[in-house]
Structures are given as structure tokens and as C-alpha cells.
Amino acid sequence: PDSRIFSFDPLLNSKYTFNKVFLDDNNVTFFNSAIGPSKEKKIINISKKDDSSSLFPISKLQNDLFPGTEVDRTSIIDIGPLNSFIDENTIAGPALLKLDVQGFEFEALLGCESILSSFEAIYCECSFVELYHGQKLAYYIIDFLKNNQFDLKGIYNSSYDKNGKAIQSDFFFTRNNKYIL
């Protein structure tokens, strides 16, 4: 209950909901922004289902597999590296980095790279197929994190198409061969 939470979401609806839920919680800080490799403004594709919105164009495959996730509208959002929002010294261990960024995982991780060593674990949704045009698939994320001293420890919450082909999963990584319960 005393953990510090830094949460990022570029959508305005998320900001209003977040502020209502965590109004009196001083341990929770919300940033109405996305994490990425550079500080800039970008266009986000807002899906008819908010949780499928992405900084990458939404593919036809995404909508075929998850009906109703096509683009509803676009908006301009702020994006920047993690260390442009929070100081590395404010991250108290053991720290977890959780990403669910609709195809933008690789770019978000690039935006965290300078302070990845502050985290003991990373929990990240990754895709096996291109649901968003231009996204890096799971094996890129695994390789990137391996090169940054994180090992894959588990795969959870997998989704499959009607033929049994894996679509996406949540991946759990720990740093330097640590095992965290």
C-alpha cells in the first residue's frame, strides 16, 4: 500500500477517470502523456474501443481479430522519454515497469532505456502478428530486453485466433537472472 505508482496514458478520458479514482492517493502520480524515444508531439489513432488506441496505424487484422477496434478519430498527444517525466532517483526498488501500449512497446522501451537498470522486472504485452502497422513483434522485444540484461521468465494471458495461432501475450522479464515472486 505504500508503493509509489507513476502512470502514463495520453488519452483524456483516462486522465479524468484516473484523477477520480486516485484523487486522495499521494503515492500515485498520473502523466497525461506517452513514453517514447524522444520528446515530441505525435498523432494517436483512437480506437472505437479506447484500450486499442495506438501511436501506430491500426491494421485490418487487428479489427478482424478484435471487432470494433477500428479508428474512431485521431488526436495529438505529448510523448517523451521516461526520464523527462520522472527522475531515476524517485524509482524505489524493487520496481516494476508495466507496458501495455498497443504495438508501441519497442519505442516505449527505447524511451525507458537510460533508466532500465532501475527496474527489477518488466511486464509487457507483445504481439506475435502485426496488429498495428510498424510495430515490432515479440521476438524484437525479447532480444532488446536480453541485450539490456533482462531475461524472459514467463508468458501469460495469451490470445489465439480461431485456428489456434498465437496473437499476443503478456511477457514477464526479470533483470540479471533474478527470480521475483
Side-chain angles (χ1 to χ4, degrees):
D2 295 329
S3 296
R4 289 288 322 263
I5 297 173
F6 300 100
S7 183
F8 293 80
D9 193 319
L11 300 179
L12 282 178
N13 287 348
S14 298
K15 176 183 177 181
Y16 300 131
T17 302
F18 195 92
N19 287 338
K20 191 183 303 183
V21 171
F22 293 104
L23 179 65
D24 297 322
D25 193 334
N26 293 329
N27 285 333
V28 179
T29 305
F30 179 80
F31 296 90
N32 193 208
S33 184
I35 300 300
S38 59
K39 196 168 178 100
E40 59 186 305
K41 295 205 178 283
K42 288 189 78 79
I43 294 173
I44 189 167
N45 299 287
I46 302 174
S47 168
K48 288 185 178 179
K49 293 184 178 179
D50 280 356
D51 64 349
S52 295
S53 300
S54 179
L55 287 159
F56 285 128
I58 299 170
S59 74
K60 181 180 180 317
L61 179 61
Q62 163 71 19
N63 193 55
D64 289 347
L65 292 169
F66 305 101
T69 57
E70 67 270 6
V71 174
D72 182 47
R73 65 192 184 285
T74 61
S75 183
I76 297 175
I77 60 151
D78 292 316
I79 184 172
L82 183 59
N83 66 357
S84 69
F85 297 100
I86 60 174
D87 184 273
E88 180 177 9
N89 296 322
T90 63
I91 302 171
L96 168 71
L97 175 65
K98 182 194 180 293
L99 298 171
D100 188 349
V101 292
Q102 304 316 111
F104 207 68
E105 295 81 17
F106 186 75
E107 290 73 13
L109 285 166
L110 286 176
C112 298
E113 189 171 22
S114 67
I115 59 175
L116 276 179
S117 62
S118 299
F119 297 96
E120 279 75 33
I122 298 173
Y123 192 78
C124 180
E125 182 183 64
C126 299
S127 298
F128 300 107
V129 296
E130 190 176 37
L131 300 173
Y132 302 91
H133 296 293
Q135 81 177 103
K136 301 281 191 218
L137 300 181
Y139 61 92
Y140 280 100
I141 307 306
I142 295 166
D143 187 55
F144 175 82
L145 288 173
K146 182 69 173 170
N147 289 332
N148 279 279
Q149 310 308 310
F150 284 87
D151 294 313
L152 179 61
K153 295 296 182 179
I155 300 173
Y156 307 94
N157 305 315
S158 298
S159 61
Y160 301 90
D161 69 12
K162 63 184 178 187
N163 298 316
K165 182 177 178 185
I167 299 168
Q168 61 187 17
S169 297
D170 293 333
F171 289 74
F172 181 67
F173 301 86
T174 61
R175 185 165 44 90
N176 297 328
N177 292 314
K178 289 185 178 179
Y179 183 77
I180 298 174
L181 294 176

